[in-house]
Amino acid sequence: MSDIALSRPVSLAIARGNGKRSLRIVQSLCILVIALVMISPLFMLLIASLKDDRFRILADMGSFRAFWVSDPTLSNYKEIAHFSGELAYGRYLFNSLVILAATVVSGLIVNSMAGFVLAWGSLRGKAALLALVVALYVIPQESIIMPLVVMMSRAGLTDTFAVQILPWVASPLYVFLFYQFFAQLPKELYEAAEMDGASVFRIYRSIYMPLSLPALATVSILMGIESWNQYLWPTLVTQTDYARPIAVAIATFFGQDSIYWDRAMAASVLMMIPVLILYLAFQRWFVSSFVGSAVKG
């Protein structure tokens, strides 16, 4: 065999190796650019919260100076970290945490029970009920918000914590997510527990709930973010600071006469921390749940 014939496969292998290396470099650069685009607003928010001059923050926006602070200070955080008075954002943050915890905990119980009954219960018309649950999901929340306001007002729940928790505990989306997860578990598991004499509630509590950590994590994060970011609903049903969440309170920085960018940025950073902690706490199961759903199609 000639030298030219031997060197051709080697040249092709080298060319393929160089091509794969170039592709990896391009992919890494694309990922880096996407990551920078996604992180830059958060980084700008953090930097702006460390500046004590709201006019300077406004002037720096739109330039690279928005990503740099020469004399960082925590004065903005100190100004708003109070539980009483005009800038009682500690109180608003506490209100949001109470609403978040109560909504997520009660939502996990209610939605998982409904999903379990739809998956393994012996209800008549279960298929029609499941179709109704899915159909309810496509109805925009804003279309039913005014009747809800009237109902809550007639029930005397306006300006309370309950009015910001009760309407959002049950959700068609989360019922369907739990139903989908429970329905994928082996039928033999339910039948074996039933033959051992376990009640339906005990099967749900002792067998299915411990196995549903990915679903619990996914619903906890999605429900927590939804509850935390509520703005329209608390604006309509709260009139005082008693139960007002921080998402509504931040809007008070944007007045008709002036905008307090420095305090708004600090309050936004504080608002971001609890949902990040929630995500980090359930990250492993949250990611595995999404990966599993993608693999199953």
Side-chain angles (χ1 to χ4, degrees), residues 80-181:
I80 63 173
H82 302 290
F83 280 83
S84 61
E86 185 182 356
L87 299 174
Y89 286 84
R91 169 72 189 188
Y92 299 132
L93 190 61
F94 174 77
N95 292 345
S96 293
L97 289 172
V98 171
I99 296 166
L100 170 72
T103 305
V104 171
V105 172
S106 55
L108 289 178
I109 296 171
V110 171
N111 294 306
S112 63
M113 281 185 171
F116 180 76
V117 170
L118 282 174
W120 298 110
S122 54
L123 296 174
R124 285 187 177 179
K126 198 166 60 176
L129 194 59
L130 181 62
L132 178 64
V133 168
V134 177
L136 287 174
Y137 171 63
V138 302
I139 298 176
Q141 286 186 356
E142 287 74 13
S143 64
I144 61 170
I145 207 162
M146 292 316 297
L148 267 179
V149 171
V150 175
M151 289 171 63
M152 294 296 120
S153 178
R154 295 276 175 85
L157 294 176
T158 305
D159 207 20
T160 62
F161 285 101
V163 76
Q164 298 177 74
I165 299 169
L166 292 177
W168 315 115
V169 167
S171 166
L173 171 63
Y174 306 135
V175 170
F176 183 74
L177 285 177
F178 274 113
Y179 158 78
Q180 199 175 28
F181 184 83

Side-chain angles (χ1 to χ4, degrees), residues 48 50-63 65-66 76 253 256-265:
L50 300 176
K51 297 177 181 177
D52 60 351
D53 187 346
R54 58 191 169 105
F55 299 107
R56 181 179 165 191
I57 293 173
L58 186 61
D60 289 347
M61 286 185 182
S63 69
R65 288 178 297 179
N76 296 326
F253 289 126
Q256 293 182 348
D257 301 327
S258 57
I259 299 175
Y260 296 91
W261 291 103
D262 46 356
R263 297 171 184 174
M265 296 295 180

Side-chain angles (χ1 to χ4, degrees), residues 116 120 185-199 203 207-208:
F116 180 76
W120 298 110
L185 294 177
K187 187 179 180 182
E188 292 77 13
L189 200 62
Y190 185 91
E191 292 175 344
E194 200 173 32
M195 289 178 65
D196 288 341
S199 64
I203 296 173
I207 298 176
Y208 279 78

Side-chain angles (χ1 to χ4, degrees), residues 104-105 107-109 111-113 115-116 173-185 204 207-224 278 282-293 296:
V104 171
V105 172
L108 289 178
I109 296 171
N111 294 306
S112 63
M113 281 185 171
F116 180 76
L173 171 63
Y174 306 135
V175 170
F176 183 74
L177 285 177
F178 274 113
Y179 158 78
Q180 199 175 28
F181 184 83
F182 288 138
Q184 291 172 352
L185 294 177
Y204 156 79
I207 298 176
Y208 279 78
M209 286 304 285
L211 293 174
S212 61
L213 279 177
L216 289 171
T218 303
V219 173
S220 295
I221 292 176
L222 295 178
M223 184 174 263
L278 181 68
F282 295 103
Q283 178 193 15
R284 186 177 56 163
W285 298 290
F286 182 69
V287 173
S288 66
S289 175
F290 269 91
V291 171
S293 301
K296 289 167 187 170

